Amino acid sequence: MISTLHSRPHRGTDGAPAPRLAFGADYNPEQWPREVWEEDVRLMREAGVTIVSLGIFSWARIQPGPDTWDFAWLDEVMDLLHEHGVGVDLATATASPPPWLTTAHPEILPVTDRGETLWPGARQHWRPTSPVFREHALRLVRRLATRYAGHPALVAWHINNELGCHNVYDYSDDAARAFRDWLRARYGTTDALNHAWGTAFWSQRYSDWEQILPPRLAASHPNPTQQLDFKRFSSDALKDHLRAERDLLRELTPDVPVTTNFMVMPGTRGMNYADWAGEVDFVANDHYVVPHPQARDELSFSANLTSGIAGGRPWFLMEHSTSAVNWQPVNLAKAPGEMARDSLTHVAHGADAVCFFQWRQSAAGAEKYHSAMVPHAGADSDLFRSVVALGDTLRTLAPVAGSEREPAEVGILFDWESRWASEQDSHPTSLLDYHQEALDWYSALLALGIRADVVTTGSDLSRHRVLIAPVLHLVPAELAKDLTRYAEQGGHLVTTYFSGIVDENDHVWLGGYPGALRDLLGIRVEEFGPLPDGQTVELDGAGSGGLWTDRITVTAPETEVLAHYRTGTQAGRPAVTRRPAGSGSAAYVSTRLGAEGLAALLPRLLGPAGVRSELPAGVRGLVESTVRRGPGGRFLFLVNRTDEAVTVPGLAGEVLLGDTGDEGAVVLAGRGVAVLRTPTD
């Protein structure tokens, strides 16, 4: 589906539409005079643009007043794009309400937990649960869908934009009413809710639904299960809005696929995208490189996780940046080759479309210093020449389109509810970072040259010989059974500190930690041992640990101790354990080792599964390898993680992208990418 998102598909030898990788950007012609549009489409053809997202922030232009509509400019743009062979991912334009609407109905504005109103002046100033906003938004969607249902440029619908980026948590009276409805549906009775929320503590027992509020600013820590349920509810409230727009679009344009752009990035916590994935016709994602010591690894991790959310199927990179962004403390331009490497890393992990924010760099507004495909310097610029070169590369890689990711032997489990629950207040430490722990495991595997898939809780875990579940804090009974079955049937589970601790209601599994996983792991912990910030402990054979320690007692005679603490209050006691389980095993790492320490430990954890690197020893850690597989072949992507040239020997296959050296070796320039194709089995 994704590979055909363009208005004029090229044809294969049999005359059928041939797959291709889509290329484009957000396009905001309303920011520019009419004469610029002609230059835009000319440059789009030069760059090889096949698709643009149109109308994302156009509500005020489309509907200048409550009963006034202006589609003439949009009609012209749609026709112009179609004339030049560019398909349109048409936005529903509901992301940013116009001033007339917020003036007439200030009750649609979000409210913080402190009772402060978020006023207009930026974007996403709307409540997901506002019936007034919903009415006006769907009225707009209906007008758009009715008008453009048969337009030949329309290839997809783009619902709203980055749902929840700025308004995921709303504490208004609308939200309170919707939260109560959500809780009634979840629990049925106040007695069941009181049990789930543990309201016997601090005299919080509710006798009527109307007494329940969102976790607004309180005198102390709000009820933890109330907080967790509010996170679940807030994700569901946005999902409900997504469904409302989607259902109307499917009614009016049943043959046009529908999507919205997720934001799989470290700082985005509020939306459970694994839960949302089934609501769209194809998964789309926005990603921006963040200032981080592991920034290169993080980009790969997020692209990999997006593939996991999409079930390994192709997905759409809706936004990333050609160079600098505008919202970081220091906004660095990308080095030569970095834009292409970023883009192709996403393709390596399943993206069948590479798109940017935005096409032409704005001359005014909050994002005028955010890079674009056409920069302020214009087409006569190194940046635009790099854009044109990337378009050529994507045409070369057309055979990749439609292929899915080939499952790796190692999976890293990413669970939104464990992330939400493990990072709440009044815990043993406030320094725990769920995403960082998962990223450290991923970085360690990259350093060893071992492919891994980032997967979600509902996926088929049995596809992986090793399953790493870092900080799997929230473990319902059924998940505990699934993980036990996974190990007993030959899988090798690895989990960490603060895992298996609570059930779905955030109630502690009693009897000692790690709770729901205690018997499977063959260990017992009576009390947590968090470490002060900056304090570390030494392990034998596994470097040093920080953040956390556990006082582990081995409870099963078959449990093996892989590493002991050498220093600290747990000196001499187990730090890393493994217990055989059926034909598999279950291992436990009781401290945060960081990427370097995990790289030293991982060979011992992976050994029983027979997992080895697929890369030659000399390039491990320097090159990332990923594999996509489809009817057109098996595609091996090699991404140079360094700024220096790297030669990868001993590889076979047709070189679609990259240079070859002596005896068929693949030569990767600094920040370079190569793609090799071999026949599928």
Side-chain angles (χ1 to χ4, degrees):
M1 178 181 291
I2 298 173
S3 58
T4 58
L5 292 186
H6 45 79
S7 58
R8 293 182 179 175
H10 65 292
R11 301 283 168 177
T13 56
D14 60 356
R20 65 189 293 181
L21 298 174
F23 186 43
D26 287 9
Y27 182 40
N28 299 290
E30 65 271 29
Q31 296 180 14
W32 301 96
R34 175 64 180 80
E35 58 268 21
V36 176
W37 301 359
E38 294 291 344
E39 182 186 29
D40 283 337
V41 292
R42 178 180 63 80
L43 293 177
M44 286 179 189
R45 290 179 69 94
E46 182 179 343
V49 166
T50 63
I51 189 167
V52 295
S53 294
L54 185 66
I56 290 174
F57 294 112
S58 299
W59 192 343
R61 179 71 184 270
I62 294 169
Q63 190 183 10
D67 299 306
T68 308
W69 301 87
D70 178 9
F71 290 105
W73 69 276
L74 189 54
D75 292 347
E76 187 174 2
V77 174
M78 292 282 286
D79 292 345
L80 185 65
L81 290 166
H82 176 63
E83 180 185 343
H84 288 80
V86 179
V88 174
D89 167 44
L90 185 58
T92 58
T94 56
S96 192
W100 64 260
L101 179 55
T102 53
T103 300
H105 296 285
E107 68 271 23
I108 75 170
L109 298 171
V111 176
T112 70
D113 63 339
R114 293 175 175 266
E116 301 161 329
T117 298
L118 298 181
W119 294 99
R123 62 178 187 174
Q124 282 196 333
H125 40 284
W126 56 277
R127 302 175 185 177
T129 57
S130 167
V132 174
F133 176 80
R134 181 74 58 86
E135 176 187 354
H136 284 271
L138 293 184
R139 183 183 179 207
L140 172 63
V141 173
R142 180 175 292 278
R143 292 293 292 259
L144 282 164
T146 301
R147 188 174 191 90
Y148 297 108
H151 199 287
L154 179 65
V155 296
W157 285 110
H158 180 122
I159 290 177
N160 203 270
N161 186 69
E162 294 185 337
L163 281 160
C165 183
H166 306 292
N167 63 342
V168 58
Y169 297 127
D170 167 48
Y171 299 82
S172 66
D173 289 342
D174 282 336
R177 284 187 286 271
F179 187 37
R180 293 182 198 114
D181 291 341
W182 185 92
L183 292 169
R184 284 190 189 96
R186 182 176 179 87
Y187 295 111
T189 66
T190 55
D191 284 345
L193 177 137
N194 282 310
H195 170 74
W197 284 17
T199 57
F201 189 82
W202 278 358
S203 186
Q204 293 178 345
R205 183 172 183 83
Y206 296 97
S207 57
D208 189 274
W209 292 105
E210 295 303 311
Q211 299 164 2
I212 301 170
L213 295 170
R216 293 168 175 165
L217 182 67
S220 184
H221 302 299
N223 182 297
T225 312
Q226 178 189 18
Q227 292 187 62
L228 178 58
D229 271 347
F230 189 70
K231 292 180 173 71
R232 290 165 169 154
F233 155 77
S234 297
S235 180
D236 281 356
L238 287 163
K239 183 176 69 172
D240 185 68
H241 184 86
L242 166 64
R243 284 172 165 171
E245 291 198 23
R246 179 206 63 193
D247 290 349
L248 183 55
L249 291 169
R250 285 181 175 172
E251 173 194 333
L252 298 172
T253 57
D255 297 327
V256 181
V258 176
T259 193
T260 191
N261 43 342
F262 298 170
M263 295 173 291
V264 179
M265 294 172 60
T268 305
R269 289 175 165 82
M271 289 71 77
N272 185 344
Y273 292 130
D275 178 57
W276 288 22
E279 306 297 339
V280 293
D281 293 316
F282 60 92
V283 167
N285 190 52
D286 294 355
H287 182 272
Y288 292 95
V289 177
V290 293
H292 192 287
Q294 295 159 259
R296 165 109 320 262
D297 298 352
E298 190 285 312
L299 185 154
S300 175
F301 179 89
S302 289
N304 199 321
L305 176 54
T306 305
S307 178
I309 293 166
R313 294 177 292 276
W315 51 277
F316 193 118
L317 178 61
M318 188 74 77
E319 288 184 27
H320 70 313
S321 66
T322 57
S323 192
V325 297
N326 68 298
W327 41 266
Q328 296 174 2
V330 178
N331 296 293
L332 301 178
K334 292 185 177 181
E338 204 167 353
M339 177 188 70
R341 181 178 64 178
D342 289 355
S343 300
L344 296 177
T345 300
H346 289 286
V347 174
H349 286 288
D352 265 11
V354 172
C355 294
F356 296 94
F357 178 83
Q358 57 180 323
W359 165 250
R360 182 178 288 274
Q361 192 170 9
S362 300
E367 293 181 299
K368 61 181 174 290
Y369 296 120
H370 192 294
S371 60
M373 295 177 82
V374 181
H376 288 152
D380 184 12
S381 61
D382 288 341
L383 183 53
F384 184 70
R385 284 185 280 273
S386 296
V387 165
V388 173
L390 177 59
D392 290 339
T393 297
L394 294 175
R395 280 192 289 269
T396 299
L397 295 179
V400 174
S403 60
E404 301 187 357
R405 78 171 175 188
E406 180 178 272
E409 293 182 312
V410 179
I412 299 176
L413 187 62
F414 194 94
D415 180 60
W416 262 266
E417 295 210 344
S418 282
R419 186 183 193 185
W420 291 339
S422 66
E423 294 181 347
Q424 293 201 144
D425 55 52
S426 60
H427 276 195
T429 178
S430 62
L431 304 177
L432 188 147
D433 186 330
Y434 178 93
H435 186 278
Q436 183 62 53
E437 182 66 27
L439 177 59
D440 283 347
W441 284 91
Y442 190 75
S443 291
L445 289 161
L446 284 175
L448 295 172
I450 295 172
R451 282 198 301 124
D453 293 339
V454 186
V455 298
T456 59
T457 312
S459 60
D460 180 4
L461 306 180
S462 66
R463 304 180 79 180
H464 309 285
R465 300 177 70 179
V466 175
L467 180 67
I468 300 170
V471 195
L472 189 63
H473 181 68
L474 190 149
V475 180
E478 283 304 310
L479 178 57
K481 292 176 183 176
D482 289 343
L483 294 174
T484 299
R485 189 180 307 113
Y486 166 81
E488 291 177 345
Q489 293 178 354
H492 297 272
L493 175 69
V494 180
T495 191
T496 73
Y497 60 92
F498 217 34
S499 293
I501 305 302
V502 299
D503 65 10
E504 64 274 19
N505 294 322
D506 202 26
H507 292 194
V508 172
W509 288 105
L510 301 178
Y513 315 123
L517 304 177
R518 186 177 61 240
D519 293 340
L520 174 61
L521 294 163
I523 61 173
R524 184 170 182 265
V525 176
E526 294 184 14
E527 190 171 11
F528 300 127
L531 296 173
D533 192 14
Q535 183 174 320
T536 59
V537 291
E538 300 299 316
L539 282 68
D540 54 12
S544 62
L547 184 74
W548 198 279
T549 60
D550 280 326
R551 184 178 177 86
I552 294 174
T553 299
V554 172
T555 57
E558 66 273 20
T559 299
E560 177 185 5
V561 178
L562 301 182
H564 293 82
Y565 288 106
R566 288 200 300 108
T567 62
T569 57
Q570 311 304 334
R573 300 189 70 88
V576 181
T577 64
R578 178 171 57 219
R579 174 182 172 267
S583 54
S585 67
Y588 183 76
V589 180
S590 65
T591 186
R592 184 184 173 219
L593 294 172
E596 186 175 344
L598 291 173
L601 176 65
L602 266 167
R604 301 180 70 186
L605 296 175
L606 300 176
V611 174
R612 302 287 185 271
S613 174
E614 300 174 6
L615 290 172
V619 301
R620 294 171 190 168
L622 307 178
V623 173
E624 175 185 358
S625 67
T626 61
V627 179
R628 294 180 63 169
R629 177 187 290 267
R634 182 180 189 266
F635 302 94
L636 171 64
F637 283 75
L638 301 171
V639 179
N640 187 348
R641 303 173 66 212
T642 76
D643 298 337
E644 306 298 328
V646 176
T647 299
V648 185
L651 298 175
E654 174 193 2
V655 179
L656 296 182
L657 181 67
D659 298 319
T660 56
D662 296 337
E663 300 179 356
V666 175
V667 180
L668 295 170
R671 311 183 191 102
V673 179
V675 181
L676 281 73
R677 174 167 61 179
T678 56
T680 54
D681 298 334

